[in-house]
Amino acid sequence: MDTDTIASLAAELAEADRTRGVIPRITARHPDATVEDAYAIQAVWRDSRIAAGRRLVGRKIGLTSKAMQQATGISEPDYGVMFDDTVWQNGSVIPFDDFSNVRVEVELAFVLKEPLEGPDCSLFDVLRATEYVTPALEVLNSHIALEGRTIVDTIADNAAYGGMVLGGNPMRPDRIDLRWVSALLYRNESIEETGVAAGVLNQPATGVAWLADKLHQHGARLEAGEIILAGSFTRPITVSRGDSILCDYGPMGTITCRFT
C-alpha cells in the first residue's frame, strides 16, 4: 500500500473518530492490504494525535484469548495505543456518545517500572519490569464496519481501542498468581460474563512479552510508566446508553462505571 493511500485511510479514521462515525471496511476496498499496511495506517493516525497534543500513556493488546478470537473471528493478537484522555477512574460516568459500537471487556493492566523491549522478551522479563498489576475494563470503539472485518481492519482502527477504566486493588506481580485471577462481569445488576486470566495465553504477562517483541520489529519499545492492557479474558458485552457496569475481581477488588 502506497504512502498516499495509507495517509488517506488514516485521515478517514481520524474523521470517523471525530464524528463518532463508521467507515467501510478497508479490506473490502483494498483486499491486498497486509498487517504491516494496517500498522502503518495506525502509526500515521497515532502520530497525528500526538502532534495535536495528546500524550501516549500505554498500549493495548487484543485478541489474546480464545474467547475473544472466537467472538471476532480473528485468530492472532494485535495491539494499539492509548492516550491520556482515554483513561477513566473507578466509578466514572462515561459519555456514551464518545464511542461507536460500544462494548466492554475484562482485563488486567500492567504498569511498568522499567523499559521493556525485544527481541526474545520473556515472561520473567515482564514480571521483573512490572511495578504492579491492576484490574481494568476496556471500552471498545470501532470505526470500521464490524461485519466481515479482518485483523487488518482492526489494527488500522487502533485495535478497536476506545478507553479504559482502572480500579480495584493494584498488586505487585509476585503477590498473586496472575493465572488464577478471576472476574465476574455485571451489566445492570445481571451477570453477563465470567472468566479466568489464564485464558490470556495461559498467563497474561505472556501477552506483554509478545508485545515487546512485536514493537521491536517496528523499532520501538515499552517505556517505564506505560500502562499495558494485556487482553480480555471474557467475551465483550455490548453497552447501551444508561447501562451500569460492575466487574468483581475477588481479592483484586471491583470496578464500576456508568454510560450516559
Side-chain angles (χ1 to χ4, degrees), residues 234-256:
T234 68
R235 291 174 298 180
I237 63 168
T238 300
V239 175
S240 300
R241 189 190 309 277
D243 282 351
S244 294
I245 303 295
L246 181 145
C247 193
D248 184 350
Y249 287 75
M252 291 195 78
T254 62
I255 301 178
T256 64

Side-chain angles (χ1 to χ4, degrees), residues 109-116 125-134 169-176 178 208 223-228:
F110 288 67
V111 181
L112 300 182
K113 61 183 177 182
E114 301 169 4
L116 196 60
D125 294 329
V126 173
L127 296 177
R128 279 192 295 267
T130 298
E131 183 174 8
Y132 56 86
V133 180
T134 191
N169 302 321
M171 301 184 75
R172 296 190 182 279
D174 60 351
R175 300 296 300 275
I176 190 169
L178 295 174
V208 182
E223 300 293 345
E226 284 198 49
I227 304 166
I228 314 300

